[in-house]
PDB file of all heavy atoms in Angstrom:
ATOM      1  N   ILE A  60      33.621 -10.116  49.768  1.00 97.00           N
ATOM      2  CA  ILE A  60      33.459 -11.462  50.328  1.00 97.00           C
ATOM      3  C   ILE A  60      34.807 -11.989  50.819  1.00 97.00           C
ATOM      4  O   ILE A  60      34.906 -12.581  51.900  1.00 97.00           O
ATOM      5  CB  ILE A  60      32.797 -12.407  49.307  1.00 97.00           C
ATOM      6  CG1 ILE A  60      31.336 -11.990  49.103  1.00 97.00           C
ATOM      7  CG2 ILE A  60      32.886 -13.861  49.769  1.00 97.00           C
ATOM      8  CD1 ILE A  60      30.643 -12.685  47.949  1.00 97.00           C
ATOM      9  N   GLY A  61      35.858 -11.759  50.040  1.00 96.00           N
ATOM     10  CA  GLY A  61      37.194 -12.171  50.467  1.00 96.00           C
ATOM     11  C   GLY A  61      37.627 -11.466  51.740  1.00 96.00           C
ATOM     12  O   GLY A  61      38.178 -12.089  52.662  1.00 96.00           O
ATOM     13  N   LEU A  62      37.383 -10.167  51.813  1.00 97.00           N
ATOM     14  CA  LEU A  62      37.728  -9.400  53.007  1.00 97.00           C
ATOM     15  C   LEU A  62      36.971  -9.917  54.226  1.00 97.00           C
ATOM     16  O   LEU A  62      37.558 -10.107  55.306  1.00 97.00           O
ATOM     17  CB  LEU A  62      37.430  -7.913  52.781  1.00 97.00           C
ATOM     18  CG  LEU A  62      37.702  -6.985  53.962  1.00 97.00           C
ATOM     19  CD1 LEU A  62      39.178  -6.997  54.342  1.00 97.00           C
ATOM     20  CD2 LEU A  62      37.232  -5.566  53.625  1.00 97.00           C
ATOM     21  N   ALA A  63      35.685 -10.167  54.061  1.00 98.00           N
ATOM     22  CA  ALA A  63      34.884 -10.683  55.174  1.00 98.00           C
ATOM     23  C   ALA A  63      35.404 -12.041  55.641  1.00 98.00           C
ATOM     24  O   ALA A  63      35.477 -12.308  56.847  1.00 98.00           O
ATOM     25  CB  ALA A  63      33.410 -10.788  54.754  1.00 98.00           C
ATOM     26  N   TRP A  64      35.816 -12.891  54.710  1.00 96.00           N
ATOM     27  CA  TRP A  64      36.326 -14.211  55.059  1.00 96.00           C
ATOM     28  C   TRP A  64      37.635 -14.096  55.842  1.00 96.00           C
ATOM     29  O   TRP A  64      37.832 -14.758  56.863  1.00 96.00           O
ATOM     30  CB  TRP A  64      36.504 -15.041  53.800  1.00 96.00           C
ATOM     31  CG  TRP A  64      36.747 -16.506  54.009  1.00 96.00           C
ATOM     32  CD1 TRP A  64      36.790 -17.192  55.190  1.00 96.00           C
ATOM     33  CD2 TRP A  64      36.964 -17.481  53.000  1.00 96.00           C
ATOM     34  NE1 TRP A  64      37.040 -18.517  54.971  1.00 96.00           N
ATOM     35  CE2 TRP A  64      37.139 -18.719  53.625  1.00 96.00           C
ATOM     36  CE3 TRP A  64      37.028 -17.413  51.609  1.00 96.00           C
ATOM     37  CZ2 TRP A  64      37.381 -19.892  52.926  1.00 96.00           C
ATOM     38  CZ3 TRP A  64      37.262 -18.593  50.909  1.00 96.00           C
ATOM     39  CH2 TRP A  64      37.434 -19.809  51.558  1.00 96.00           C
ATOM     40  N   VAL A  65      38.540 -13.246  55.374  1.00 96.00           N
ATOM     41  CA  VAL A  65      39.820 -13.041  56.071  1.00 96.00           C
ATOM     42  C   VAL A  65      39.566 -12.497  57.475  1.00 96.00           C
ATOM     43  O   VAL A  65      40.145 -12.983  58.464  1.00 96.00           O
ATOM     44  CB  VAL A  65      40.746 -12.098  55.268  1.00 96.00           C
ATOM     45  CG1 VAL A  65      41.899 -11.593  56.127  1.00 96.00           C
ATOM     46  CG2 VAL A  65      41.275 -12.807  54.029  1.00 96.00           C
ATOM     47  N   LEU A  66      38.705 -11.497  57.600  1.00 97.00           N
ATOM     48  CA  LEU A  66      38.416 -10.915  58.913  1.00 97.00           C
ATOM     49  C   LEU A  66      37.766 -11.933  59.836  1.00 97.00           C
ATOM     50  O   LEU A  66      38.060 -11.979  61.038  1.00 97.00           O
ATOM     51  CB  LEU A  66      37.532  -9.668  58.758  1.00 97.00           C
ATOM     52  CG  LEU A  66      38.200  -8.478  58.066  1.00 97.00           C
ATOM     53  CD1 LEU A  66      37.185  -7.354  57.852  1.00 97.00           C
ATOM     54  CD2 LEU A  66      39.420  -8.000  58.829  1.00 97.00           C
ATOM     55  N   TRP A  67      36.892 -12.769  59.293  1.00 97.00           N
ATOM     56  CA  TRP A  67      36.246 -13.813  60.094  1.00 97.00           C
ATOM     57  C   TRP A  67      37.280 -14.812  60.607  1.00 97.00           C
ATOM     58  O   TRP A  67      37.259 -15.177  61.787  1.00 97.00           O
ATOM     59  CB  TRP A  67      35.164 -14.507  59.261  1.00 97.00           C
ATOM     60  CG  TRP A  67      34.462 -15.614  59.988  1.00 97.00           C
ATOM     61  CD1 TRP A  67      33.611 -15.504  61.051  1.00 97.00           C
ATOM     62  CD2 TRP A  67      34.550 -17.008  59.703  1.00 97.00           C
ATOM     63  NE1 TRP A  67      33.165 -16.734  61.443  1.00 97.00           N
ATOM     64  CE2 TRP A  67      33.730 -17.681  60.619  1.00 97.00           C
ATOM     65  CE3 TRP A  67      35.235 -17.747  58.755  1.00 97.00           C
ATOM     66  CZ2 TRP A  67      33.591 -19.061  60.628  1.00 97.00           C
ATOM     67  CZ3 TRP A  67      35.093 -19.124  58.749  1.00 97.00           C
ATOM     68  CH2 TRP A  67      34.283 -19.766  59.678  1.00 97.00           C
ATOM     69  N   GLU A  68      38.188 -15.245  59.727  1.00 96.00           N
ATOM     70  CA  GLU A  68      39.233 -16.179  60.162  1.00 96.00           C
ATOM     71  C   GLU A  68      40.127 -15.540  61.222  1.00 96.00           C
ATOM     72  O   GLU A  68      40.489 -16.183  62.202  1.00 96.00           O
ATOM     73  CB  GLU A  68      40.069 -16.650  58.976  1.00 96.00           C
ATOM     74  CG  GLU A  68      39.360 -17.667  58.107  1.00 96.00           C
ATOM     75  CD  GLU A  68      40.228 -18.199  56.977  1.00 96.00           C
ATOM     76  OE1 GLU A  68      41.188 -17.517  56.557  1.00 96.00           O
ATOM     77  OE2 GLU A  68      39.936 -19.311  56.507  1.00 96.00           O
ATOM     78  N   GLN A  69      40.489 -14.279  61.041  1.00 95.00           N
ATOM     79  CA  GLN A  69      41.314 -13.593  62.028  1.00 95.00           C
ATOM     80  C   GLN A  69      40.592 -13.465  63.363  1.00 95.00           C
ATOM     81  O   GLN A  69      41.195 -13.621  64.417  1.00 95.00           O
ATOM     82  CB  GLN A  69      41.730 -12.217  61.524  1.00 95.00           C
ATOM     83  CG  GLN A  69      42.845 -12.266  60.515  1.00 95.00           C
ATOM     84  CD  GLN A  69      43.323 -10.872  60.132  1.00 95.00           C
ATOM     85  OE1 GLN A  69      42.550  -9.919  60.119  1.00 95.00           O
ATOM     86  NE2 GLN A  69      44.597 -10.768  59.815  1.00 95.00           N
ATOM     87  N   SER A  70      39.300 -13.194  63.322  1.00 96.00           N
ATOM     88  CA  SER A  70      38.540 -13.050  64.563  1.00 96.00           C
ATOM     89  C   SER A  70      38.467 -14.365  65.328  1.00 96.00           C
ATOM     90  O   SER A  70      38.293 -14.369  66.540  1.00 96.00           O
ATOM     91  CB  SER A  70      37.121 -12.541  64.274  1.00 96.00           C
ATOM     92  OG  SER A  70      36.318 -13.566  63.708  1.00 96.00           O
ATOM     93  N   ARG A  71      38.621 -15.474  64.639  1.00 96.00           N
ATOM     94  CA  ARG A  71      38.622 -16.803  65.278  1.00 96.00           C
ATOM     95  C   ARG A  71      40.033 -17.219  65.692  1.00 96.00           C
ATOM     96  O   ARG A  71      40.233 -18.328  66.172  1.00 96.00           O
ATOM     97  CB  ARG A  71      38.040 -17.830  64.318  1.00 96.00           C
ATOM     98  CG  ARG A  71      36.577 -17.534  63.982  1.00 96.00           C
ATOM     99  CD  ARG A  71      35.974 -18.522  63.032  1.00 96.00           C
ATOM    100  NE  ARG A  71      36.040 -19.853  63.623  1.00 96.00           N
ATOM    101  CZ  ARG A  71      36.130 -20.978  62.921  1.00 96.00           C
ATOM    102  NH1 ARG A  71      36.157 -20.939  61.614  1.00 96.00           N
ATOM    103  NH2 ARG A  71      36.175 -22.140  63.528  1.00 96.00           N
ATOM    104  N   GLY A  72      41.017 -16.336  65.439  1.00 94.00           N
ATOM    105  CA  GLY A  72      42.384 -16.640  65.825  1.00 94.00           C
ATOM    106  C   GLY A  72      43.106 -17.581  64.876  1.00 94.00           C
ATOM    107  O   GLY A  72      44.157 -18.120  65.215  1.00 94.00           O
ATOM    108  N   GLU A  73      42.545 -17.789  63.693  1.00 94.00           N
ATOM    109  CA  GLU A  73      43.178 -18.682  62.727  1.00 94.00           C
ATOM    110  C   GLU A  73      44.374 -17.991  62.088  1.00 94.00           C
ATOM    111  O   GLU A  73      44.360 -16.785  61.853  1.00 94.00           O
ATOM    112  CB  GLU A  73      42.177 -19.104  61.644  1.00 94.00           C
ATOM    113  CG  GLU A  73      41.052 -19.969  62.169  1.00 94.00           C
ATOM    114  CD  GLU A  73      40.099 -20.433  61.074  1.00 94.00           C
ATOM    115  OE1 GLU A  73      40.550 -20.641  59.935  1.00 94.00           O
ATOM    116  OE2 GLU A  73      38.900 -20.560  61.377  1.00 94.00           O
ATOM    117  N   LEU A  74      45.393 -18.780  61.817  1.00 91.00           N
ATOM    118  CA  LEU A  74      46.553 -18.258  61.114  1.00 91.00           C
ATOM    119  C   LEU A  74      46.226 -18.128  59.638  1.00 91.00           C
ATOM    120  O   LEU A  74      45.404 -18.875  59.105  1.00 91.00           O
ATOM    121  CB  LEU A  74      47.742 -19.204  61.292  1.00 91.00           C
ATOM    122  CG  LEU A  74      48.261 -19.381  62.712  1.00 91.00           C
ATOM    123  CD1 LEU A  74      49.392 -20.414  62.726  1.00 91.00           C
ATOM    124  CD2 LEU A  74      48.761 -18.047  63.255  1.00 91.00           C
ATOM    125  N   LEU A  75      46.862 -17.185  58.985  1.00 91.00           N
ATOM    126  CA  LEU A  75      46.698 -17.001  57.547  1.00 91.00           C
ATOM    127  C   LEU A  75      48.045 -17.322  56.897  1.00 91.00           C
ATOM    128  O   LEU A  75      48.830 -16.438  56.584  1.00 91.00           O
ATOM    129  CB  LEU A  75      46.254 -15.571  57.220  1.00 91.00           C
ATOM    130  CG  LEU A  75      44.911 -15.149  57.822  1.00 91.00           C
ATOM    131  CD1 LEU A  75      44.647 -13.680  57.559  1.00 91.00           C
ATOM    132  CD2 LEU A  75      43.787 -15.999  57.277  1.00 91.00           C
ATOM    133  N   PRO A  76      48.313 -18.619  56.706  1.00 92.00           N
ATOM    134  CA  PRO A  76      49.632 -19.010  56.198  1.00 92.00           C
ATOM    135  C   PRO A  76      49.856 -18.567  54.751  1.00 92.00           C
ATOM    136  O   PRO A  76      48.921 -18.480  53.965  1.00 92.00           O
ATOM    137  CB  PRO A  76      49.607 -20.533  56.285  1.00 92.00           C
ATOM    138  CG  PRO A  76      48.167 -20.896  56.193  1.00 92.00           C
ATOM    139  CD  PRO A  76      47.423 -19.760  56.852  1.00 92.00           C
ATOM    140  N   VAL A  77      51.105 -18.264  54.434  1.00 93.00           N
ATOM    141  CA  VAL A  77      51.496 -17.889  53.081  1.00 93.00           C
ATOM    142  C   VAL A  77      52.766 -18.665  52.752  1.00 93.00           C
ATOM    143  O   VAL A  77      53.733 -18.595  53.498  1.00 93.00           O
ATOM    144  CB  VAL A  77      51.761 -16.378  52.953  1.00 93.00           C
ATOM    145  CG1 VAL A  77      52.239 -16.021  51.560  1.00 93.00           C
ATOM    146  CG2 VAL A  77      50.517 -15.587  53.311  1.00 93.00           C
ATOM    147  N   GLN A  78      52.732 -19.401  51.670  1.00 91.00           N
ATOM    148  CA  GLN A  78      53.914 -20.117  51.202  1.00 91.00           C
ATOM    149  C   GLN A  78      54.490 -19.386  49.998  1.00 91.00           C
ATOM    150  O   GLN A  78      53.765 -18.672  49.302  1.00 91.00           O
ATOM    151  CB  GLN A  78      53.566 -21.550  50.814  1.00 91.00           C
ATOM    152  CG  GLN A  78      53.131 -22.401  51.994  1.00 91.00           C
ATOM    153  CD  GLN A  78      52.796 -23.812  51.565  1.00 91.00           C
ATOM    154  OE1 GLN A  78      52.970 -24.198  50.427  1.00 91.00           O
ATOM    155  NE2 GLN A  78      52.293 -24.589  52.508  1.00 91.00           N
ATOM    156  N   PRO A  79      55.797 -19.585  49.748  1.00 85.00           N
ATOM    157  CA  PRO A  79      56.396 -18.931  48.575  1.00 85.00           C
ATOM    158  C   PRO A  79      55.604 -19.250  47.303  1.00 85.00           C
ATOM    159  O   PRO A  79      55.204 -20.374  47.073  1.00 85.00           O
ATOM    160  CB  PRO A  79      57.799 -19.536  48.518  1.00 85.00           C
ATOM    161  CG  PRO A  79      58.078 -19.989  49.922  1.00 85.00           C
ATOM    162  CD  PRO A  79      56.749 -20.405  50.485  1.00 85.00           C
ATOM    163  N   GLY A  80      55.368 -18.267  46.543  1.00 92.00           N
ATOM    164  CA  GLY A  80      54.635 -18.440  45.292  1.00 92.00           C
ATOM    165  C   GLY A  80      53.124 -18.382  45.447  1.00 92.00           C
ATOM    166  O   GLY A  80      52.405 -18.260  44.459  1.00 92.00           O
ATOM    167  N   GLY A  81      52.640 -18.471  46.674  1.00 95.00           N
ATOM    168  CA  GLY A  81      51.193 -18.458  46.892  1.00 95.00           C
ATOM    169  C   GLY A  81      50.544 -17.144  46.515  1.00 95.00           C
ATOM    170  O   GLY A  81      49.469 -17.119  45.910  1.00 95.00           O
ATOM    171  N   ILE A  82      51.187 -16.054  46.856  1.00 93.00           N
ATOM    172  CA  ILE A  82      50.621 -14.737  46.536  1.00 93.00           C
ATOM    173  C   ILE A  82      50.592 -14.524  45.024  1.00 93.00           C
ATOM    174  O   ILE A  82      49.578 -14.095  44.471  1.00 93.00           O
ATOM    175  CB  ILE A  82      51.395 -13.615  47.251  1.00 93.00           C
ATOM    176  CG1 ILE A  82      51.119 -13.698  48.757  1.00 93.00           C
ATOM    177  CG2 ILE A  82      51.018 -12.249  46.702  1.00 93.00           C
ATOM    178  CD1 ILE A  82      51.900 -12.719  49.592  1.00 93.00           C
ATOM    179  N   ALA A  83      51.687 -14.856  44.356  1.00 94.00           N
ATOM    180  CA  ALA A  83      51.736 -14.693  42.899  1.00 94.00           C
ATOM    181  C   ALA A  83      50.675 -15.554  42.221  1.00 94.00           C
ATOM    182  O   ALA A  83      49.994 -15.102  41.298  1.00 94.00           O
ATOM    183  CB  ALA A  83      53.121 -15.033  42.368  1.00 94.00           C
ATOM    184  N   ALA A  84      50.520 -16.787  42.684  1.00 94.00           N
ATOM    185  CA  ALA A  84      49.515 -17.673  42.092  1.00 94.00           C
ATOM    186  C   ALA A  84      48.102 -17.151  42.357  1.00 94.00           C
ATOM    187  O   ALA A  84      47.238 -17.201  41.475  1.00 94.00           O
ATOM    188  CB  ALA A  84      49.675 -19.098  42.633  1.00 94.00           C
ATOM    189  N   ALA A  85      47.853 -16.640  43.549  1.00 94.00           N
ATOM    190  CA  ALA A  85      46.531 -16.107  43.872  1.00 94.00           C
ATOM    191  C   ALA A  85      46.217 -14.866  43.035  1.00 94.00           C
ATOM    192  O   ALA A  85      45.077 -14.688  42.583  1.00 94.00           O
ATOM    193  CB  ALA A  85      46.439 -15.775  45.363  1.00 94.00           C
ATOM    194  N   ILE A  86      47.215 -14.021  42.815  1.00 94.00           N
ATOM    195  CA  ILE A  86      47.022 -12.865  41.927  1.00 94.00           C
ATOM    196  C   ILE A  86      46.740 -13.355  40.506  1.00 94.00           C
ATOM    197  O   ILE A  86      45.891 -12.798  39.805  1.00 94.00           O
ATOM    198  CB  ILE A  86      48.239 -11.923  41.984  1.00 94.00           C
ATOM    199  CG1 ILE A  86      48.267 -11.225  43.348  1.00 94.00           C
ATOM    200  CG2 ILE A  86      48.197 -10.901  40.858  1.00 94.00           C
ATOM    201  CD1 ILE A  86      49.545 -10.441  43.626  1.00 94.00           C
ATOM    202  N   GLY A  87      47.410 -14.410  40.097  1.00 95.00           N
ATOM    203  CA  GLY A  87      47.150 -15.017  38.791  1.00 95.00           C
ATOM    204  C   GLY A  87      45.711 -15.484  38.666  1.00 95.00           C
ATOM    205  O   GLY A  87      45.077 -15.318  37.617  1.00 95.00           O
ATOM    206  N   VAL A  88      45.169 -16.053  39.738  1.00 95.00           N
ATOM    207  CA  VAL A  88      43.763 -16.474  39.745  1.00 95.00           C
ATOM    208  C   VAL A  88      42.865 -15.258  39.522  1.00 95.00           C
ATOM    209  O   VAL A  88      41.942 -15.296  38.701  1.00 95.00           O
ATOM    210  CB  VAL A  88      43.385 -17.174  41.073  1.00 95.00           C
ATOM    211  CG1 VAL A  88      41.884 -17.402  41.166  1.00 95.00           C
ATOM    212  CG2 VAL A  88      44.130 -18.483  41.229  1.00 95.00           C
ATOM    213  N   GLY A  89      43.141 -14.194  40.253  1.00 95.00           N
ATOM    214  CA  GLY A  89      42.335 -12.983  40.111  1.00 95.00           C
ATOM    215  C   GLY A  89      42.387 -12.409  38.708  1.00 95.00           C
ATOM    216  O   GLY A  89      41.354 -12.033  38.133  1.00 95.00           O
ATOM    217  N   LEU A  90      43.585 -12.359  38.144  1.00 96.00           N
ATOM    218  CA  LEU A  90      43.720 -11.857  36.779  1.00 96.00           C
ATOM    219  C   LEU A  90      43.009 -12.764  35.779  1.00 96.00           C
ATOM    220  O   LEU A  90      42.324 -12.286  34.871  1.00 96.00           O
ATOM    221  CB  LEU A  90      45.199 -11.716  36.416  1.00 96.00           C
ATOM    222  CG  LEU A  90      45.976 -10.639  37.175  1.00 96.00           C
ATOM    223  CD1 LEU A  90      47.460 -10.717  36.861  1.00 96.00           C
ATOM    224  CD2 LEU A  90      45.408  -9.258  36.868  1.00 96.00           C
ATOM    225  N   ALA A  91      43.160 -14.069  35.959  1.00 96.00           N
ATOM    226  CA  ALA A  91      42.521 -15.015  35.033  1.00 96.00           C
ATOM    227  C   ALA A  91      41.002 -14.906  35.084  1.00 96.00           C
ATOM    228  O   ALA A  91      40.337 -14.847  34.044  1.00 96.00           O
ATOM    229  CB  ALA A  91      42.974 -16.441  35.342  1.00 96.00           C
ATOM    230  N   PHE A  92      40.426 -14.867  36.298  1.00 94.00           N
ATOM    231  CA  PHE A  92      38.972 -14.762  36.389  1.00 94.00           C
ATOM    232  C   PHE A  92      38.472 -13.405  35.911  1.00 94.00           C
ATOM    233  O   PHE A  92      37.358 -13.284  35.407  1.00 94.00           O
ATOM    234  CB  PHE A  92      38.462 -15.084  37.794  1.00 94.00           C
ATOM    235  CG  PHE A  92      38.222 -16.543  37.999  1.00 94.00           C
ATOM    236  CD1 PHE A  92      39.009 -17.279  38.871  1.00 94.00           C
ATOM    237  CD2 PHE A  92      37.219 -17.204  37.305  1.00 94.00           C
ATOM    238  CE1 PHE A  92      38.803 -18.628  39.052  1.00 94.00           C
ATOM    239  CE2 PHE A  92      36.999 -18.566  37.481  1.00 94.00           C
ATOM    240  CZ  PHE A  92      37.799 -19.277  38.358  1.00 94.00           C
ATOM    241  N   THR A  93      39.293 -12.369  36.042  1.00 95.00           N
ATOM    242  CA  THR A  93      38.933 -11.069  35.486  1.00 95.00           C
ATOM    243  C   THR A  93      38.838 -11.165  33.967  1.00 95.00           C
ATOM    244  O   THR A  93      37.868 -10.681  33.358  1.00 95.00           O
ATOM    245  CB  THR A  93      39.973 -10.006  35.901  1.00 95.00           C
ATOM    246  OG1 THR A  93      39.932  -9.873  37.322  1.00 95.00           O
ATOM    247  CG2 THR A  93      39.690  -8.664  35.243  1.00 95.00           C
ATOM    248  N   LEU A  94      39.822 -11.816  33.347  1.00 95.00           N
ATOM    249  CA  LEU A  94      39.792 -12.001  31.889  1.00 95.00           C
ATOM    250  C   LEU A  94      38.623 -12.895  31.465  1.00 95.00           C
ATOM    251  O   LEU A  94      38.003 -12.650  30.432  1.00 95.00           O
ATOM    252  CB  LEU A  94      41.121 -12.568  31.400  1.00 95.00           C
ATOM    253  CG  LEU A  94      42.322 -11.628  31.554  1.00 95.00           C
ATOM    254  CD1 LEU A  94      43.606 -12.339  31.147  1.00 95.00           C
ATOM    255  CD2 LEU A  94      42.124 -10.351  30.751  1.00 95.00           C
ATOM    256  N   VAL A  95      38.317 -13.913  32.269  1.00 95.00           N
ATOM    257  CA  VAL A  95      37.145 -14.760  31.983  1.00 95.00           C
ATOM    258  C   VAL A  95      35.878 -13.916  31.989  1.00 95.00           C
ATOM    259  O   VAL A  95      35.041 -14.021  31.080  1.00 95.00           O
ATOM    260  CB  VAL A  95      37.025 -15.920  33.008  1.00 95.00           C
ATOM    261  CG1 VAL A  95      35.658 -16.588  32.924  1.00 95.00           C
ATOM    262  CG2 VAL A  95      38.130 -16.938  32.800  1.00 95.00           C
TER     263      VAL A  95
END
Side-chain angles (χ1 to χ4, degrees):
I60 291 170
L62 178 62
W64 192 2
V65 165
L66 293 175
W67 179 69
E68 285 184 336
Q69 283 185 328
S70 74
R71 297 180 60 209
E73 293 183 33
L74 296 177
L75 299 174
V77 177
Q78 294 180 5
I82 291 176
I86 290 170
V88 171
L90 293 173
F92 273 112
T93 297
L94 294 175
V95 166

